[in-house]
Amino acid sequence: MAVDYTVIVLYLAGMLAMGWWGMRRAKSKSEFLVAGRRLGPWMYSGTMAAIVLGGASTIGGVGLGYKYGLSGAWMVFTIGLGLLALSIFFSARIARLKVYTVSEMLDLRYGGKAGVISGVVMWAYTLMLAVTSTIAYATIFDVLFDLPRTVAIVLGGAIVVAYSTLGGMWSITLTDMVQFVVKTIGVLILLLPIAVIKAGGFAEMKAQLPTEYFAPLGIGGETIFTYVLIYTFGMLIGQDIWQRVFTARTDKVAQWGGTVAGVYCLAYALAGAVIGTAAKVLYPNLPSADDAFATIVKDELPMGVRGLVLAAALAAVMSTSSGALIACATVANNDIWSRLRGLTVRGSDGEEHDEVKGNRLFILVMGIATIAIAIALNDVVQALTVAYNLLVGGLLVPILGGLLWRRGTVQGALAAVVVGGLSVIGLMWAYGILANEPVYYGLLASLAAYVIVSLATRPTDATVLATWRARLAGQDTPEADPTTTPETVPAPATG
């Protein structure tokens, strides 16, 4: 394993080096949180694909292929569909808003007063996403170095916290590009063909496995529908995803670069399912489906290649973990802490530099909290399910409603967040955390509250809507100030 260890150590050292390099570039709030909004199509596509394809998509995707066959691709496939929908229909408008968080977008659209409540929901989601990604280090470092669970979580988490704290989004962008390349080579170019060949080819796989392993809907229609609700819609509204959209140089980069990343996700989904299916042929009696990835890598790949593929798994986990961490810290600082204290976000270059220090501190604090929770938490699936249910049940309707329905009001948005969030919590208590009903009925309750309350209350002020439309059209370019409601901003000239 000496060669494999060398590959992994060099990879981890490179991540830290890029964090240090990113620190030299992140001199303002815009550069630290959204990479100066300067990413071109190549870097944007790579980093977007890196953040959405994490440990669950890699290790979990192979595990679903091991359990269900080719239909195990549906989980990651719905992630790709969500990214395609976001990129084609919404990302250009989102990029033109020039905000930092989803809650700032809600304030801009509805005229203030929606930010703190929506920020708390988004913060809970991004924190749990960071925690579950951090826990995945235990699996990978156990295969690599036979480390105890706690040590593995601290080691992997510390590296991600270090480079994220140093350079913010610039560091994360650079490391994500490396991670994207490593994942592409390790999983698509190396592991996929080797796994199929070791299993005897597709003909032998079909001969060895039941027919349902090759049925497109073998995993079940209800499961696929739930994946669409949670992951496809989750891609449309997550702060971790939107914060990458904000990094695009232009709205066209956000649209077309995200489309390329979405297509890449579809290919990655199919690759994971095929690898898992091949692992089922090679190892039909594994104690856990999630062991399929590590087992086939450890037993079937030659040295050096094995290290690169394990680095690919590590890259998948790190990219999602770092993206969730900076999103969590951004929401905690800009949407919750700053608003509660009544701090402003505008100022001179010196004041913006101080804001870099503040955001850097929040990443460090949130990173330490993430590692501590990851060590204490046992049931990862339940934690992630709670996070996605709250996100979709509480925020999907007011966000998409704000983008698509002019009649939506701030009272309707707040009602949708509160009713949807409380409904999801109550239904999870009644049906069980892993049940499908909470997100189904919670989403319907949120939609009903949004429509009814919006129609029953006074329409959004015309000045607010004029400012909103101007920002969507890219006519107003200054950074958003979440502490200044749009009512105070003069309406743009028309004609």
Side-chain angles (χ1 to χ4, degrees):
M1 293 286 289
V3 176
D4 298 323
Y5 290 161
T6 301
V7 172
I8 297 298
V9 170
L10 289 174
Y11 168 77
L12 294 176
M15 296 299 99
L16 291 174
M18 294 211 176
W20 182 262
W21 189 88
M23 183 178 68
R24 300 171 64 88
R25 297 200 62 168
K27 301 299 185 182
S28 69
K29 177 182 178 180
S30 177
E31 290 174 333
F32 190 82
L33 293 182
V34 290
R37 307 187 195 274
R38 289 190 289 172
L39 298 192
W42 164 240
M43 292 193 74
Y44 179 86
S45 297
T47 57
M48 183 62 86
I51 188 176
V52 300
L53 297 174
S57 300
T58 303
I59 299 171
V62 171
L64 287 173
Y66 183 89
K67 190 174 182 179
Y68 297 105
L70 297 186
S71 67
W74 272 106
M75 183 187 77
V76 184
F77 202 82
T78 56
I79 291 174
L81 291 178
L83 186 53
L84 284 172
L86 174 71
S87 302
I88 294 172
F89 299 113
F90 300 110
S91 63
R93 285 185 284 177
I94 292 170
R96 288 195 292 264
L97 290 175
K98 302 295 184 184
V99 294
Y100 290 103
T101 67
V102 174
S103 295
E104 289 180 23
M105 167 264 171
L106 291 174
D107 275 352
L108 185 64
R109 164 60 180 83
Y110 294 110
K113 304 182 179 69
V116 174
I117 295 177
S118 60
V120 170
V121 176
M122 189 65 75
W123 173 78
Y125 157 72
T126 53
L127 178 64
M128 283 293 92
L129 184 61
V131 166
T132 53
S133 300
T134 302
I135 291 174
Y137 297 129
T139 302
I140 299 172
F141 280 108
D142 177 58
V143 175
L144 290 174
F145 305 118
D146 195 25
L147 293 175
R149 178 180 184 273
T150 299
V151 176
I153 289 173
V154 170
L155 176 60
I159 293 172
V160 170
V161 172
Y163 73 69
S164 300
T165 301
L166 286 172
M169 188 59 81
W170 266 124
S171 294
I172 293 171
T173 297
L174 295 170
T175 54
D176 276 0
M177 278 306 299
V178 174
Q179 290 157 358
F180 170 73
V181 172
V182 170
K183 279 193 290 192
T184 301
I185 296 173
V187 175
L188 296 183
I189 297 178
L190 295 176
L191 183 58
L192 175 61
I194 290 174
V196 173
I197 292 170
K198 291 284 186 178
F202 284 105
E204 183 64 20
M205 290 163 62
K206 285 187 175 182
Q208 292 286 336
L209 296 173
T211 305
E212 56 265 25
Y213 263 71
F214 300 91
L217 304 179
I219 198 170
E222 185 177 357
T223 299
I224 296 171
F225 181 67
T226 303
Y227 284 159
V228 170
L229 278 184
I230 292 177
Y231 296 115
T232 300
F233 286 127
M235 287 295 105
L236 297 180
I237 59 176
Q239 169 68 25
D240 52 325
I241 309 302
W242 277 42
Q243 199 156 343
R244 296 308 174 96
V245 176
F246 301 151
T247 66
R249 182 190 303 153
T250 65
D251 55 357
K252 294 299 183 183
V253 168
Q255 187 173 47
W256 294 109
T259 301
V260 171
V263 173
Y264 178 90
C265 291
L266 303 183
Y268 200 88
L270 184 59
V274 171
I275 293 167
T277 305
K280 184 67 175 179
V281 174
L282 295 168
Y283 312 100
N285 300 310
L286 289 177
S288 171
D290 286 339
D291 294 336
F293 179 87
T295 302
I296 196 170
V297 169
K298 196 172 184 180
D299 294 349
E300 303 297 336
L301 299 184
M303 64 177 182
V305 174
R306 180 172 50 217
L308 182 60
V309 173
L310 287 173
L314 194 58
V317 175
M318 282 187 160
S319 56
T320 298
S321 181
S322 59
L325 177 58
I326 193 171
C328 178
T330 302
V331 171
N333 188 17
N334 292 268
D335 291 338
I336 301 175
W337 179 249
S338 294
R339 293 165 188 262
L340 291 177
R341 293 190 61 190
L343 299 178
T344 60
V345 299
R346 289 181 179 172
S348 65
D349 292 341
E351 290 172 332
E352 278 215 344
H353 184 71
D354 290 338
E355 283 194 67
V356 171
K357 293 179 182 178
N359 282 293
R360 185 173 282 135
L361 177 61
F362 264 85
I363 291 179
L364 179 60
V365 171
M366 290 296 105
I368 293 172
T370 296
I371 293 172
I373 296 172
I375 293 171
L377 198 63
N378 290 321
D379 199 324
V380 180
V381 175
Q382 289 195 2
L384 194 59
T385 301
V386 170
Y388 268 103
N389 282 351
L390 284 173
L391 176 71
V392 174
L395 291 180
L396 177 67
V397 170
I399 292 172
L400 293 189
L403 289 168
L404 300 174
W405 191 39
R406 179 175 177 174
R407 187 60 180 80
T409 66
V410 64
Q411 294 88 350
L414 289 172
V417 173
V418 174
V419 171
L422 292 178
S423 297
V424 164
I425 292 171
L427 290 166
M428 284 191 292
W429 180 81
Y431 286 97
I433 289 177
L434 298 180
N436 293 327
E437 287 83 358
V439 70
Y440 295 167
Y441 300 141
L443 193 55
L444 289 175
S446 179
L447 178 60
Y450 181 70
V451 173
I452 293 171
V453 175
S454 291
L455 292 176
T457 53
R458 185 178 178 180
T460 304
D461 185 88
T463 303
V464 174
L465 288 177
T467 303
W468 166 254
R469 288 194 299 270
R471 292 289 284 271
L472 281 179
Q475 296 172 7
D476 188 11
T477 56
E479 306 288 359
D481 182 350
T483 63
T484 303
T485 61
E487 288 97 326
T488 65
V489 182
T494 59

PDB file of all heavy atoms in Angstrom, residues 10 127 130 177 191 266 278 327 346 348 363:
ATOM      1  N   LEU A  10       0.022  12.972  -0.981  1.00  0.00           N
ATOM      2  CA  LEU A  10       0.284  14.063  -1.922  1.00  0.00           C
ATOM      3  C   LEU A  10      -1.004  14.822  -2.252  1.00  0.00           C
ATOM      4  O   LEU A  10      -1.012  16.053  -2.359  1.00  0.00           O
ATOM      5  CB  LEU A  10       0.922  13.517  -3.203  1.00  0.00           C
ATOM      6  CG  LEU A  10       2.370  13.033  -3.081  1.00  0.00           C
ATOM      7  CD1 LEU A  10       2.829  12.387  -4.390  1.00  0.00           C
ATOM      8  CD2 LEU A  10       3.295  14.196  -2.711  1.00  0.00           C
ATOM      9  N   LEU A 127     -25.849  22.809   7.650  1.00  0.00           N
ATOM     10  CA  LEU A 127     -25.082  22.218   8.743  1.00  0.00           C
ATOM     11  C   LEU A 127     -25.166  20.699   8.697  1.00  0.00           C
ATOM     12  O   LEU A 127     -24.145  20.002   8.808  1.00  0.00           O
ATOM     13  CB  LEU A 127     -25.588  22.743  10.086  1.00  0.00           C
ATOM     14  CG  LEU A 127     -24.895  22.170  11.330  1.00  0.00           C
ATOM     15  CD1 LEU A 127     -23.431  22.562  11.355  1.00  0.00           C
ATOM     16  CD2 LEU A 127     -25.598  22.633  12.605  1.00  0.00           C
ATOM     17  N   ALA A 130     -23.135  19.334   5.834  1.00  0.00           N
ATOM     18  CA  ALA A 130     -21.705  19.323   6.159  1.00  0.00           C
ATOM     19  C   ALA A 130     -21.372  18.193   7.124  1.00  0.00           C
ATOM     20  O   ALA A 130     -20.338  17.525   6.990  1.00  0.00           O
ATOM     21  CB  ALA A 130     -21.301  20.675   6.758  1.00  0.00           C
ATOM     22  N   MET A 177     -11.751  21.886  -8.501  1.00  0.00           N
ATOM     23  CA  MET A 177     -11.312  21.564  -9.859  1.00  0.00           C
ATOM     24  C   MET A 177     -10.394  20.341  -9.859  1.00  0.00           C
ATOM     25  O   MET A 177     -10.515  19.453 -10.703  1.00  0.00           O
ATOM     26  CB  MET A 177     -10.594  22.766 -10.484  1.00  0.00           C
ATOM     27  CG  MET A 177     -11.531  23.808 -11.057  1.00  0.00           C
ATOM     28  SD  MET A 177     -12.727  23.150 -12.255  1.00  0.00           S
ATOM     29  CE  MET A 177     -11.637  22.503 -13.512  1.00  0.00           C
ATOM     30  N   LEU A 191     -12.093   3.005 -12.695  1.00  0.00           N
ATOM     31  CA  LEU A 191     -12.871   2.010 -11.959  1.00  0.00           C
ATOM     32  C   LEU A 191     -13.998   1.406 -12.786  1.00  0.00           C
ATOM     33  O   LEU A 191     -14.229   0.189 -12.724  1.00  0.00           O
ATOM     34  CB  LEU A 191     -13.442   2.644 -10.689  1.00  0.00           C
ATOM     35  CG  LEU A 191     -14.236   1.704  -9.776  1.00  0.00           C
ATOM     36  CD1 LEU A 191     -13.388   0.516  -9.338  1.00  0.00           C
ATOM     37  CD2 LEU A 191     -14.763   2.455  -8.555  1.00  0.00           C
ATOM     38  N   LEU A 266     -25.483  12.930 -14.862  1.00  0.00           N
ATOM     39  CA  LEU A 266     -26.240  11.803 -15.395  1.00  0.00           C
ATOM     40  C   LEU A 266     -25.304  10.648 -15.754  1.00  0.00           C
ATOM     41  O   LEU A 266     -25.601   9.478 -15.474  1.00  0.00           O
ATOM     42  CB  LEU A 266     -27.045  12.233 -16.618  1.00  0.00           C
ATOM     43  CG  LEU A 266     -28.032  13.394 -16.429  1.00  0.00           C
ATOM     44  CD1 LEU A 266     -28.812  13.641 -17.716  1.00  0.00           C
ATOM     45  CD2 LEU A 266     -28.990  13.125 -15.275  1.00  0.00           C
ATOM     46  N   ALA A 278     -21.588  -4.652 -11.031  1.00  0.00           N
ATOM     47  CA  ALA A 278     -20.412  -5.512 -11.204  1.00  0.00           C
ATOM     48  C   ALA A 278     -19.931  -6.050  -9.858  1.00  0.00           C
ATOM     49  O   ALA A 278     -19.549  -7.225  -9.740  1.00  0.00           O
ATOM     50  CB  ALA A 278     -19.296  -4.733 -11.898  1.00  0.00           C
ATOM     51  N   ALA A 327     -21.278  27.378   2.771  1.00  0.00           N
ATOM     52  CA  ALA A 327     -22.674  27.792   2.702  1.00  0.00           C
ATOM     53  C   ALA A 327     -23.253  27.970   4.098  1.00  0.00           C
ATOM     54  O   ALA A 327     -23.951  28.948   4.385  1.00  0.00           O
ATOM     55  CB  ALA A 327     -23.490  26.760   1.918  1.00  0.00           C
ATOM     56  N   ARG A 346     -22.458  47.010   3.712  1.00  0.00           N
ATOM     57  CA  ARG A 346     -21.769  47.852   2.758  1.00  0.00           C
ATOM     58  C   ARG A 346     -20.705  48.679   3.444  1.00  0.00           C
ATOM     59  O   ARG A 346     -20.751  48.928   4.636  1.00  0.00           O
ATOM     60  CB  ARG A 346     -22.757  48.773   2.051  1.00  0.00           C
ATOM     61  CG  ARG A 346     -23.663  48.021   1.074  1.00  0.00           C
ATOM     62  CD  ARG A 346     -24.598  48.970   0.378  1.00  0.00           C
ATOM     63  NE  ARG A 346     -25.451  48.249  -0.563  1.00  0.00           N
ATOM     64  CZ  ARG A 346     -26.460  48.788  -1.201  1.00  0.00           C
ATOM     65  NH1 ARG A 346     -26.765  50.058  -1.017  1.00  0.00           N
ATOM     66  NH2 ARG A 346     -27.179  48.090  -2.040  1.00  0.00           N
ATOM     67  N   SER A 348     -16.492  50.655   2.935  1.00  0.00           N
ATOM     68  CA  SER A 348     -15.269  50.865   2.168  1.00  0.00           C
ATOM     69  C   SER A 348     -14.542  49.554   1.974  1.00  0.00           C
ATOM     70  O   SER A 348     -14.913  48.529   2.512  1.00  0.00           O
ATOM     71  CB  SER A 348     -14.362  51.836   2.918  1.00  0.00           C
ATOM     72  OG  SER A 348     -13.931  51.243   4.140  1.00  0.00           O
ATOM     73  N   ILE A 363     -16.476  30.370   9.317  1.00  0.00           N
ATOM     74  CA  ILE A 363     -16.154  29.069   8.722  1.00  0.00           C
ATOM     75  C   ILE A 363     -15.420  28.202   9.736  1.00  0.00           C
ATOM     76  O   ILE A 363     -15.699  27.002   9.888  1.00  0.00           O
ATOM     77  CB  ILE A 363     -15.309  29.239   7.446  1.00  0.00           C
ATOM     78  CG1 ILE A 363     -16.154  29.855   6.334  1.00  0.00           C
ATOM     79  CG2 ILE A 363     -14.749  27.890   6.982  1.00  0.00           C
ATOM     80  CD1 ILE A 363     -15.397  30.086   5.040  1.00  0.00           C
TER      81      ILE A 363
END
